[in-house]
């Protein structure tokens, strides 16, 4: 019984497949403002750490995470993300990267490039809620 409950909570084995790559989605991500600073001129930064609650099981050996887990980060923030414990870094930013990535990916899936103003507004709302909006607009 315990094994059946465990499999209900977390699949065993963890799903393994080649990550989906979507060049048009990554171009869309690069059109958005940075989720940390609000600045434009971003890179597509993949969230690598696992969050099974969001059905993200991390990245495979030698593979980046699926493109649905990409977020727009300024080059400086992207380097900073990679130079620290990624999970702790996102916590310090006050951002749930999995939730935000799924929100942006969902909007793009439904509206294509027409989702850009909605996603930019969502990012700006996040910047306001974390007290970063005015700090980086100067």
């Amino acid at each position: 019984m315990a094994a059946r409950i465990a499999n209900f909570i977390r699949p065993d084995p963890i799903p393994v497949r080649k990550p989906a790559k979507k060049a048009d989605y990554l171009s869309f991500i690069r059109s958005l403002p940075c989720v940390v600073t609000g600045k434009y001129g971003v890179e597509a930064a993949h969230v690598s750490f696992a969050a099974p609650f969001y059905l993200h099981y991390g990245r495979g050996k030698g593979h980046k995470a699926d493109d649905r887990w990409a977020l727009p980060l300024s080059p400086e923030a992207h380097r900073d993300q990679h130079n620290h414990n990624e999970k702790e870094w996102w916590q310090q930013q006050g951002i749930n990267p999995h939730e935000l990535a799924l929100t942006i990916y969902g909007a793009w899936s439904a509206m294509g490039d027409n989702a850009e103003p909605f996603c930019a507004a969502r990012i700006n709302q996040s910047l306001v809620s974390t007290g970063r909006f005015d700090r980086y607009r100067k």
Side-chain angles (χ1 to χ4, degrees):
M1 179 69 164
R4 286 188 6 213
I5 292 172
N7 287 341
F8 179 73
I9 295 171
R10 180 174 162 242
D12 189 30
I14 293 174
V16 177
R17 65 178 186 84
K18 189 173 181 177
K21 296 296 171 190
K22 298 181 182 287
D24 51 344
Y25 180 64
L26 295 181
S27 292
F28 172 76
I29 288 290
R30 291 184 196 101
S31 74
L32 298 172
C34 174
V35 299
V36 173
T37 67
K39 295 178 181 178
Y40 283 86
V42 300
E43 300 171 351
H46 289 79
V47 178
S48 298
F49 72 95
F53 181 78
Y54 296 100
L55 304 180
H56 184 213
Y57 298 99
R59 59 188 176 127
K61 210 172 205 177
H63 294 286
K64 284 187 177 180
D66 190 281
D67 284 344
R68 85 176 65 202
W69 304 112
L71 286 170
L73 286 180
S74 69
E76 299 80 19
H78 193 182
R79 279 192 300 279
D80 202 34
Q81 172 207 20
H82 287 299
N83 289 334
H84 294 88
N85 175 299
E86 185 183 5
K87 185 175 182 178
E88 290 175 8
W89 186 84
W90 282 108
Q91 288 172 341
Q92 289 172 352
Q93 308 313 311
I95 297 170
N96 178 333
H98 296 95
E99 184 177 287
L100 185 55
L102 287 176
T103 300
I104 293 171
Y105 186 77
W108 177 80
S109 294
M111 296 183 267
D113 290 339
N114 293 330
E116 190 273 331
F118 299 98
C119 292
R122 172 60 179 84
I123 290 167
N124 287 333
Q125 290 168 356
S126 181
L127 290 167
V128 168
S129 72
T130 58
R132 296 171 187 265
F133 188 77
D134 292 330
R135 182 181 335 164
Y136 294 106
R137 293 290 179 194
K138 298 174 183 173

